[in-house]
Amino acid sequence: MDKNLYVENITNGTEVSSLFLVKRSDLRSKRGEQFVHMTLADRTGTIECKAYGDKAVEAARAVKTGMVYAISGVGKANQNGELHVFSDSAATLDSLLTGPVALMPGQDTEFIFTPANITGNASEIQKIVASIVNGDLRLFVACCLDQRFYECPAAIRRHHEYTGGLCEHSLETVRIALNLVETMPRTEINRDMVIAGAVLHDIGKIFCFDKVGYGYVPNDTYNLIEHITMGIMFIDEYKNLISDAQLLQLRHIIQSHHGIYGDVVPLTAEAWLVNQADGASSLLRSIVDDLSETPKGQKKKGLRSEKFLWKAV
């Protein structure tokens, strides 16, 4: 089977018989009938898929996320206008049981969905880091950033959940924070510390995802330890580059950036700035992406934002 249909071309009633990356997969049941629930992806987007059949349990155990499979079915919209691929074809489950499709060199780009400008975002964030006046702190931040930071997603089923999402979210956060610094008069905010904290606030997420096949999947660290603890542990590896006071402030920013959901409440102006900027980036991105999937003129609860939203006609 060739890649002859893309997610963006699937509508209600579209016959589906093509290759897709399986981004997520689990076994579910409805009215006593079990089915494989998958998130399919290609370079044009993602779509949910429900595959029914006698081999659903075995197929759910066999499927490997991050790999490409042949999927057959039909595009189907529910009563809320939400589109998914419905499959009761034995061919789909047989494909999952047989194993993933081997791709030709360079063909993987057809299956990686990301709206992020990975190269451009990396360049922009490096420019901002280079503007840190304190040389020790500038070197410290630069040492903490590696290829994982630029390619990892920021979450699963939440904001910036795609390849390059972590860097994009961090760039948005530092831009929002710096704009707030420039907007507020009569402040004595440490601009260098705001940049360092905003760029590194989610750095622990580079340990929470593994590159599996052609995609990223959360690992045990994501579920058992989470990114705040990992971020503090990671920056300590470079603690000899900065003063104890600077390290303490950065630890506090990372530990408090989730506000009421974090380990501690922000106590410094810099920590509050990063806290608010992080919340603005994550919530607005979730809302915008949810609205892109909301039918016009309808009120719908977004999966990412968990907010009820309405899209203008």
Side-chain angles (χ1 to χ4, degrees), residues 180-246:
L180 288 172
V181 171
E182 294 168 2
T183 300
M184 298 291 293
R186 300 182 306 280
T187 57
E188 296 181 359
I189 295 173
N190 185 328
R191 182 180 183 276
D192 283 357
M193 188 56 62
V194 169
I195 294 174
V199 170
L200 298 178
H201 77 281
D202 270 347
I203 192 65
K205 288 184 177 179
I206 66 175
F207 301 100
C208 294
F209 296 91
D210 292 331
K211 183 72 177 292
V212 177
Y214 308 105
Y216 283 89
V217 297
N219 54 33
D220 291 341
T221 298
Y222 182 94
N223 297 309
L224 299 178
I225 301 178
E226 251 288 354
H227 69 286
I228 291 179
T229 299
M230 294 305 301
I232 293 173
M233 291 170 61
F234 176 58
I235 68 169
D236 275 7
E237 294 182 15
Y238 301 98
K239 64 183 180 181
N240 292 334
L241 296 176
I242 56 178
S243 68
D244 290 344
Q246 289 173 318

Side-chain angles (χ1 to χ4, degrees), residues 10-198:
I10 299 176
T11 59
N12 191 35
T14 300
E15 293 293 332
V16 177
S17 182
S18 190
L19 301 177
F20 297 92
L21 182 143
V22 176
K23 190 174 182 180
R24 287 184 290 268
S25 174
D26 55 46
L27 182 68
R28 300 186 184 182
S29 63
K30 185 175 183 179
R31 299 186 184 94
E33 187 175 6
Q34 293 180 308
F35 62 95
V36 185
H37 182 270
M38 296 174 284
T39 300
L40 308 180
D42 59 31
R43 62 176 173 80
T44 69
T46 62
I47 190 169
E48 303 304 301
C49 175
K50 301 175 182 179
Y52 290 82
D54 296 335
K55 302 177 183 177
V57 176
E58 297 92 329
R61 291 172 180 166
V63 66
K64 298 177 181 178
T65 55
M67 302 302 289
V68 173
Y69 289 86
I71 303 295
S72 300
V74 62
K76 188 175 182 180
N78 62 19
Q79 59 184 4
N80 296 322
E82 298 168 334
L83 189 67
H84 67 276
V85 174
F86 173 82
S87 175
D88 58 2
S89 166
T92 294
L93 297 184
D94 287 341
S95 172
L96 299 180
L97 287 167
T98 301
V101 175
L103 301 182
M104 299 293 290
Q107 193 180 2
D108 59 312
T109 57
E110 291 291 287
F111 300 94
I112 300 174
F113 169 70
T114 178
N117 180 353
I118 296 176
T119 302
N121 290 342
S123 177
E124 287 301 308
I125 213 162
Q126 288 164 9
K127 289 178 183 177
I128 293 174
V129 171
S131 73
I132 296 176
V133 176
N134 184 283
D136 292 341
L137 189 60
R138 183 172 64 248
L139 176 62
F140 174 88
V141 176
C143 287
C144 290
L145 304 182
D146 61 21
Q147 199 61 33
R148 292 171 296 177
F149 172 78
Y150 300 113
E151 294 184 355
C152 270
I156 293 295
R157 297 188 186 276
R158 296 286 182 175
H159 67 94
H160 304 85
E161 66 165 346
Y162 36 78
T163 300
L166 175 58
C167 179
E168 183 177 71
H169 167 57
S170 301
L171 179 59
E172 290 173 1
T173 300
V174 72
R175 281 175 168 169
I176 292 168
L178 289 177
N179 281 326
L180 288 172
V181 171
E182 294 168 2
T183 300
M184 298 291 293
R186 300 182 306 280
T187 57
E188 296 181 359
I189 295 173
N190 185 328
R191 182 180 183 276
D192 283 357
M193 188 56 62
V194 169
I195 294 174

